[in-house]
Amino acid sequence: MLDSTSDTALKPTGPETRTLRRVGIGAAVIALAVVGAGIASRLSATRDLEVAAAESAIPTVAVVSPTGAADAGGLALPGTAQAFNSAAIYARTNGYVRSWQADIGDRVAAGQTLAVLDAPEVDQQLAQAKADYQTALANQRLAATTAKRWSAMLKQDAVSQQEVDEKAGDLAAKTALANAALASVRELQATRGFTRLSAPFAGVVTSRSAQIGALVVAGNAAAQPLFTVSDVHRMRVYVRVPQIYSAQVKQGVSVSLTLPEFPGRTFPGTVTRSAGAVDAQSGAVLVEVQANNGEGALKPGAFVEAHFDVAGGVQGLTLPGSTILYTEQGPSVAVVGAGDRVTVRPVTIARDLGKTVIVSVGVKPGDRVVDSPPDSMRSGDHVKIQKPVAPNGSAKGAAHGG
């Protein structure tokens, strides 16, 4: 028989069981609270990342406002200088270069020999043509003598009129053959004369491709000229003038020419002629400016900046050149409107001043024009305006979005 006292000692008491249960419930509650706090923290971080990603997806741009077009002090346009006269010297006969007697940079007189060619075939053909001419000439003389004798015998009724006419016709035929042979001789003499290349006018040799011993083939369209002679005592400068200025750039207008290799120096010129037509592709009128070039400072093919003495004022607004966005529709600008939404507008550039452009159509005062817009910018894009920078370098205000 078991002792009742020992059974009672093995059973847990009521207060201790309730304490353990409370501790377990408390630990579970704490664990749930920690898990909930972690989930809430992750959700909050995810929302923050989404907001940051959405904000970073909106580009931040700098904007400028158009200003009035100021007088640019006349009209400055690029031009290309060309010699007053320029001749490419090609060979008119086949042969080999025996010698060349002028090189690039040499000043030559009109008619001065530039190179001499060897053409042995032409020499032989000329000798044969001279021999043929002598034969034809001898036949002509014999025919002339025969015709004269038969005419004399006709007066004595020793021969018939028919025979006399035949002799006269033979003389005419022999005379024609002699003239043809003489023409062949003169043609070959002229061809032989082409073996000596000479300058057509006084000027400067600006190119030479002749080499001693080189074969020269006449009539080869792909061949380079053996020499180029340019008359540079006076220069022609061709400039394309925008249509908006074409009425002011007339014959007799004074022009100041500047060259990059002569900074601070100007060369006087005068508008001598105008094409009188607007080129459909460039929208400009081609004009010719002539300038004296006694010093030789102006060189054929050189870049020249022409400053025309015309009114420089233009109806339009000035924008930095970096605001122009070139699209398939032509030059455009990106204007920020209500809600910081972009509208891409086509514009008309009345004058390009390099760093700035004068726009005649497409913008108005007060427009917020995007500076240096990306090529991917399209109408309807949402942007943020870059906060302006104060003169001391500190930012004023803050970027704002729509």
Side-chain angles (χ1 to χ4, degrees), residues 184-370:
S184 296
V185 170
R186 291 175 176 173
E187 178 185 3
L188 289 169
Q189 286 176 339
T191 302
R192 192 174 185 277
F194 292 140
T195 59
R196 184 174 298 273
L197 306 180
S198 58
F201 46 76
V204 178
V205 177
T206 55
S207 75
R208 176 189 65 82
S209 64
Q211 299 292 339
I212 294 178
L215 173 63
V216 177
V217 179
N220 186 1
Q224 292 182 341
L226 298 180
F227 294 90
T228 301
V229 179
S230 300
D231 179 8
V232 295
H233 83 284
R234 190 171 179 83
M235 299 294 290
R236 306 176 194 265
V237 179
Y238 291 96
V239 184
R240 295 190 178 275
V241 179
Q243 180 180 354
I244 192 173
Y245 294 101
S246 59
Q248 303 179 62
V249 179
K250 298 178 291 187
Q251 185 175 356
V253 172
S254 299
V255 183
S256 297
L257 306 176
T258 59
L259 302 173
E261 62 266 36
F262 297 106
R265 184 179 175 184
T266 60
F267 301 87
T270 306
V271 177
T272 57
R273 62 185 67 251
S274 170
V278 178
D279 183 72
Q281 295 182 349
S282 63
V285 178
L286 182 65
V287 300
E288 177 185 319
V289 178
Q290 291 189 13
N292 289 324
N293 192 34
E295 301 179 15
L298 296 172
K299 304 176 182 63
F303 169 82
V304 180
E305 189 172 72
H307 300 263
F308 292 86
D309 188 14
V310 298
V314 180
Q315 296 295 328
L317 298 173
T318 301
L319 282 173
S322 56
T323 60
I324 303 301
L325 182 66
Y326 292 94
T327 64
E328 295 180 354
Q329 289 73 31
S332 306
V333 295
V335 180
V336 181
D340 290 343
R341 296 286 179 176
V342 171
T343 301
V344 178
R345 298 182 191 168
V347 296
T348 300
I349 299 177
R351 186 171 176 186
D352 190 342
L353 303 176
K355 293 183 179 180
T356 60
V357 294
I358 298 178
V359 177
S360 59
V361 178
V363 293
K364 58 183 182 297
D367 281 345
R368 296 184 297 172
V369 181
V370 177

Side-chain angles (χ1 to χ4, degrees), residues 9-56:
L10 293 175
K11 295 180 180 180
T13 60
E16 293 177 352
T17 301
R18 288 193 297 270
T19 301
L20 292 174
R21 188 175 299 167
R22 291 174 182 173
V23 171
I25 293 173
V29 171
I30 293 173
L32 291 174
V34 171
V35 171
I39 294 174
S41 176
R42 289 186 179 181
L43 292 175
S44 176
T46 301
R47 286 193 298 270
D48 292 342
L49 288 174
E50 291 176 351
V51 172
E55 292 181 353
S56 62

Side-chain angles (χ1 to χ4, degrees), residues 133-183:
Y133 173 62
Q134 292 301 323
T135 301
L137 191 60
N139 292 332
Q140 179 197 16
R141 290 171 181 170
L142 178 59
T145 302
T146 302
K148 184 177 180 181
R149 289 175 180 174
W150 283 71
S151 296
M153 288 188 295
L154 178 63
K155 294 178 181 179
Q156 300 174 1
D157 293 331
V159 294
S160 65
Q161 182 65 44
Q162 177 65 30
E163 292 174 320
V164 172
D165 292 340
E166 289 177 357
K167 300 304 179 183
D170 183 61
L171 173 61
K174 296 297 176 53
T175 302
L177 291 175
N179 291 336
L182 178 60

Side-chain angles (χ1 to χ4, degrees), residues 84-110:
F84 191 75
N85 287 310
S86 182
I89 311 299
Y90 291 88
R92 287 290 306 276
T93 183
N94 300 337
Y96 295 90
V97 179
R98 180 196 302 174
S99 64
W100 51 267
Q101 302 174 13
D103 206 347
I104 58 173
D106 291 346
R107 292 190 173 273
V108 294

